Amino acid sequence: MVAAWGDPQSRTQEARVILGAREMLEGPAERWLIPTANGETRLRKPPFGYWASAVSMAVLGEGVLAARVPAVLASWGTIALTFLIGRRLFGERAGLYAAGMLLGSWLFFRHGVLAETDVLVMALMAAAVYAILRARDVASGRPWLHLAAIATACIALTKGPPAGCVALFLVGVDLVDRNFTRNWRHSIAWRFVSSGAIVTLLLLGLPWFAFAALNAEGHQLTDDFRNSIRGGLGHSEPWWDYFPQMLLAILPWTFVWVVAGLASLKLLLFRKDMSEERASMLILYAWGMAVFAPLMAWGNKQPHYLLSMIPAMMLTAGWAVDRGLSYAWPSLRPAVAAILNVMMWVLLIAPPAIVLAIANNARPNLQPIDWAIPFAMLAIAGGLMLACWKWKRLTLAPSLIAGVASAFVLVMSVWAPTLESQGYASMARQLRERFPEGRFVFRRDVSLTLCVAMRQIVPVVDDLELQRLAAVPSERMRIVCLYESEMDLPPLPNYREVMRLEGGENDITVLTPTPLVEPVSMDGAKPR
């Protein structure tokens, strides 16, 4: 919640959800089925994410923090589900370590507080995995399979194609258990069909898509699908691009996960005596590959698409830490202990040094918070080290997990927002103060993040319409034209630049119509 409150809204992906939710509340009831963003129909994504934020905003108010509450709850739900899945597969302590490391991993902490669809997909995927594992361990499992169907339908209503990852995981679990070669009627996939869970999935997931297809803008769904497969809008990358992104996504636990990956391969290839543990590890591999294989084949590649497989990666790391530090695998202990000890010292030294270095470069003078945050981190890390090594009150892994999570909160949620001298909220405030009666329009393209800050629909007009507005006396005095400076548009006749707003993801250029007659002073000189 601290992170959701402190992180300024700056991403277009999040702005779409916030605007869609706000316009659902302010517009006619049909917008709950056919969402809009800045007044334009938006069917490129299903509406479940809009629904979640709209319900939250209806209860808590139409602010950015209220829109982010469902994402925060989804993130906490993912942490809880990671613990439950880990406990079921490898034991309680492994699940606890995995949940803690998930909280303190870069990609999860950065995106887990934003009102974006990938956060909800991550939580729903974890819920589907847990329900399938519960159904796997009982003869019938009908209620759990229906819960898995509900989670899958919600994934489809959130983002569409990722719902297929649940089907791949179902098949992966059956391959691990060799159900297709033993008795296919006992397979999870067949039980999913015979229990009626497939009907639940179709009844919940299909109606909205059928309704949207009948809308005049229904082609947006197929257009976005084709564009995403091809990797359009500047998001096309080679298939191997996700490998380095994975290593960055789980920082600072990357080296722990690499050691865990090598140990898991050793388990699968050489430890034939540990059949139950091998099956549990194969299930984690099935989860990871059910998400990762489609992502590699998909044209559109973005780092936050990896969110749905981060819990599986952290479960592998949690398993390695548990097995190494508990002497269950004596050969694993030296590597795990060495990495965790080095990380503890890095935690003590690196974050305070990085904060001071960045603050010294970003500000003319260091602020009190630039000193308070490093001292707080030193106190936390030092206290944890003493509790771990001298007082023996804590063990190494929980101490490090707590320290990393604390560093993320202090640096990313409390200190980093103070570096932004001017965000979109400040831009909107300046525009309202400078043009209290202004009629704002965007030139050619829209900045949805600025629309969120301005809390109003700002239409997009072309240059011909702007020329027409400048010729209407009643509009000439009110029209205020905005566009993102990076668009590098040619000068607009009969308009002049009056200000440039800086500090957001992109700068905003502000134009107003030129006066018909230049004002002069009493002595005939033009005023400065």
Side-chain angles (χ1 to χ4, degrees):
M1 288 303 297
V2 173
W5 170 75
D7 192 359
Q9 199 282 313
S10 60
R11 287 174 53 83
T12 301
Q13 294 93 328
E14 185 181 31
R16 294 190 188 107
V17 175
I18 296 174
L19 288 173
R22 183 181 295 163
E23 291 171 26
M24 282 179 177
L25 296 175
E26 296 175 350
E30 67 180 20
R31 287 191 180 174
W32 287 81
L33 293 177
I34 306 297
T36 60
N38 196 43
E40 299 291 331
T41 300
R42 177 160 181 82
L43 292 175
R44 297 186 179 278
K45 293 289 185 293
F48 188 83
Y50 306 150
W51 293 343
S53 289
V55 171
S56 177
M57 294 166 76
V59 175
L60 302 175
E62 296 186 12
V64 172
L65 179 59
R68 289 175 171 176
V69 166
V72 174
L73 296 177
S75 297
W76 277 111
T78 306
I79 292 172
L81 288 164
T82 300
F83 166 72
L84 293 174
I85 294 169
R87 183 175 66 177
R88 196 161 198 85
L89 295 178
F90 302 118
E92 188 169 278
R93 188 164 48 194
L96 187 63
Y97 289 163
M101 287 189 283
L102 176 65
L103 173 61
S105 58
W106 160 251
L107 191 71
F108 177 87
F109 199 91
R110 175 69 186 90
H111 289 273
V113 298
L114 303 180
E116 297 182 6
T117 54
D118 294 285
V119 182
L120 301 178
V121 170
M122 170 187 66
L124 293 165
M125 182 72 190
V129 168
Y130 180 67
I132 290 168
L133 293 181
R134 291 297 302 264
R136 170 179 176 258
D137 294 339
V138 294
S140 173
R142 185 185 298 268
W144 292 107
L145 290 172
H146 281 272
L147 284 175
I150 293 171
T152 306
C154 291
I155 294 174
L157 289 171
T158 302
K159 205 166 182 180
C165 297
V166 179
L168 293 177
F169 178 70
L170 273 172
V171 174
V173 171
D174 281 329
L175 291 175
V176 170
D177 294 337
R178 300 181 181 178
N179 287 326
F180 294 125
T181 58
R182 294 175 180 172
N183 188 344
W184 62 272
R185 290 186 180 275
H186 293 163
S187 68
I188 298 290
W190 171 250
R191 288 161 57 195
F192 188 84
V193 175
S194 62
S195 66
I198 186 68
V199 177
T200 299
L201 169 61
L202 296 176
L203 287 177
L204 293 177
L206 279 183
W208 180 84
F209 288 93
F211 181 81
L214 298 176
N215 187 270
E217 295 294 326
H219 63 86
Q220 290 187 21
L221 278 170
T222 54
D223 291 347
D224 186 72
F225 184 78
R226 286 193 292 265
N227 174 74
S228 185
I229 290 178
R230 293 194 300 264
L233 299 178
H235 298 306
S236 178
E237 301 292 345
W239 66 269
W240 48 261
D241 182 69
Y242 275 129
F243 288 101
Q245 295 289 352
M246 287 168 55
L247 300 179
L248 294 174
I250 57 175
L251 284 171
W253 305 104
T254 304
F255 290 104
V256 176
W257 180 75
V258 170
V259 169
L262 296 174
S264 68
L265 290 176
K266 181 179 178 181
L267 169 68
L268 297 176
L269 296 176
F270 304 111
R271 299 296 296 268
K272 305 296 184 182
D273 56 316
M274 304 174 66
S275 58
E276 185 175 345
E277 189 139 325
R278 290 176 72 249
S280 296
M281 185 58 67
L282 284 171
I283 285 174
L284 279 190
Y285 272 69
W287 181 358
M289 290 306 299
V291 177
F292 192 57
L295 287 181
M296 286 194 297
W298 209 254
N300 199 343
K301 293 180 173 61
Q302 298 190 63
H304 51 87
Y305 291 172
L306 293 169
L307 273 172
S308 294
M309 63 179 292
I310 299 299
M313 298 173 71
M314 291 296 96
L315 282 165
T316 310
W319 164 81
V321 171
D322 175 50
R323 298 303 188 262
L325 297 185
S326 64
Y327 294 96
W329 273 38
S331 60
L332 189 58
R333 180 177 175 81
V336 171
I339 292 173
L340 295 186
N341 276 288
V342 170
M343 287 182 64
M344 183 64 86
W345 283 104
V346 171
L347 176 67
L348 179 68
I349 298 169
I354 291 172
V355 167
L356 289 173
I358 293 176
N360 188 60
N361 184 61
R363 308 190 208 267
N365 297 298
L366 293 178
Q367 303 295 320
I369 195 171
D370 299 327
W371 294 105
I373 295 298
F375 277 117
M377 287 190 292
L378 285 171
I380 292 172
L384 290 170
M385 292 175 72
L386 289 173
C388 178
W389 292 330
K390 185 174 180 61
W391 301 330
K392 307 298 182 183
R393 299 292 184 185
L394 292 172
T395 56
L396 179 59
S399 301
L400 184 59
I401 288 169
V404 169
S406 301
F408 269 109
V409 172
L410 289 172
V411 175
M412 295 179 59
S413 306
V414 178
W415 175 75
T418 67
L419 291 177
E420 299 193 20
S421 58
Q422 176 174 286
Y424 286 101
S426 178
M427 289 182 176
R429 184 170 56 254
Q430 290 185 64
L431 287 172
R432 286 192 293 266
E433 292 173 353
R434 178 77 178 270
F435 309 101
E437 303 297 329
R439 178 192 171 191
F440 298 100
V441 297
F442 280 108
R443 182 185 180 190
R444 298 193 186 182
D445 200 7
V446 64
S447 170
L448 294 178
T449 46
L450 186 56
C451 291
V452 171
M454 296 181 71
R455 297 198 174 198
Q456 67 182 80
I457 293 175
V458 182
V460 179
V461 299
D462 57 24
D463 288 0
L464 289 177
E465 178 65 11
L466 284 169
Q467 293 291 337
R468 189 193 68 78
L469 292 173
V472 178
S474 60
E475 295 289 351
R476 187 180 189 87
M477 302 299 294
R478 300 175 58 237
I479 199 73
V480 180
C481 175
L482 313 171
Y483 68 89
E484 293 184 344
S485 305
E486 68 171 10
M487 294 173 64
D488 196 25
L489 298 177
L492 185 61
N494 301 321
Y495 282 79
R496 60 177 180 175
E497 180 178 333
V498 294
M499 61 189 304
R500 181 167 296 197
L501 303 173
E502 301 177 350
E505 193 174 68
N506 297 309
D507 297 344
I508 300 293
T509 300
V510 183
L511 308 177
T512 59
T514 54
L516 293 175
V517 179
E518 284 290 334
V520 296
S521 61
M522 294 299 294
D523 59 1
K526 292 183 180 180
R528 292 186 178 183

